[in-house]
Coordinates of all heavy atoms in Angstrom, one line a residue:
L475 N -47.8 49.6 196.3 CA -47.2 48.9 195.1 C -47.8 47.5 195.1 O -47.9 46.8 196.1 CB -45.7 48.9 195.2 CG -45.0 50.2 195.4 CD1 -43.5 50.0 195.7 CD2 -45.1 51.1 194.1
N476 N -48.1 47.1 193.8 CA -48.5 45.7 193.7 C -47.3 44.8 193.7 O -46.1 45.2 193.6 CB -49.4 45.5 192.4 CG -48.5 45.7 191.2 OD1 -47.4 45.3 191.0 ND2 -49.1 46.5 190.3
P477 N -47.5 43.5 194.0 CA -46.3 42.5 194.1 C -45.4 42.6 192.9 O -44.2 42.5 193.1 CB -47.0 41.2 194.3 CG -48.3 41.5 194.8 CD -48.7 42.8 194.2
F478 N -45.9 42.7 191.7 CA -45.0 42.7 190.5 C -44.1 43.9 190.5 O -42.9 43.8 190.3 CB -45.8 42.7 189.2 CG -45.0 42.9 188.0 CD1 -44.3 41.9 187.5 CD2 -44.9 44.2 187.4 CE1 -43.5 42.0 186.3 CE2 -44.1 44.4 186.3 CZ -43.4 43.3 185.7
V479 N -44.6 45.1 190.8 CA -43.8 46.3 190.9 C -42.8 46.2 192.0 O -41.6 46.6 191.8 CB -44.7 47.6 191.0 CG1 -43.8 48.8 191.1 CG2 -45.6 47.7 189.8
K480 N -43.2 45.7 193.2 CA -42.3 45.6 194.3 C -41.1 44.7 193.9 O -39.9 45.0 194.1 CB -43.0 45.0 195.5 CG -43.8 46.0 196.3 CD -44.3 45.3 197.5 CE -45.0 46.3 198.4 NZ -45.5 45.7 199.7
K481 N -41.4 43.6 193.3 CA -40.4 42.6 192.9 C -39.4 43.2 191.8 O -38.2 43.1 191.9 CB -41.0 41.4 192.3 CG -40.0 40.2 192.0 CD -40.8 39.0 191.6 CE -39.8 37.8 191.3 NZ -40.5 36.6 191.0
F482 N -40.0 44.0 190.8 CA -39.3 44.5 189.8 C -38.3 45.6 190.3 O -37.1 45.6 190.0 CB -40.2 45.2 188.8 CG -39.5 45.9 187.6 CD1 -38.9 45.3 186.6 CD2 -39.3 47.3 187.7 CE1 -38.3 45.9 185.6 CE2 -38.7 48.0 186.7 CZ -38.1 47.3 185.6
I483 N -38.8 46.5 191.2 CA -37.9 47.5 191.8 C -36.8 46.9 192.6 O -35.7 47.3 192.5 CB -38.8 48.5 192.6 CG1 -39.7 49.3 191.7 CG2 -37.8 49.5 193.3 CD1 -40.6 50.2 192.4
S484 N -37.2 46.0 193.5 CA -36.2 45.4 194.4 C -35.1 44.7 193.6 O -33.9 44.9 193.8 CB -36.9 44.3 195.3 OG -37.9 44.9 196.1

Side-chain angles (χ1 to χ4, degrees):
L475 302 172
N476 64 47
F478 172 78
V479 175
K480 281 187 176 182
K481 186 175 181 180
F482 177 79
I483 294 176
S484 298

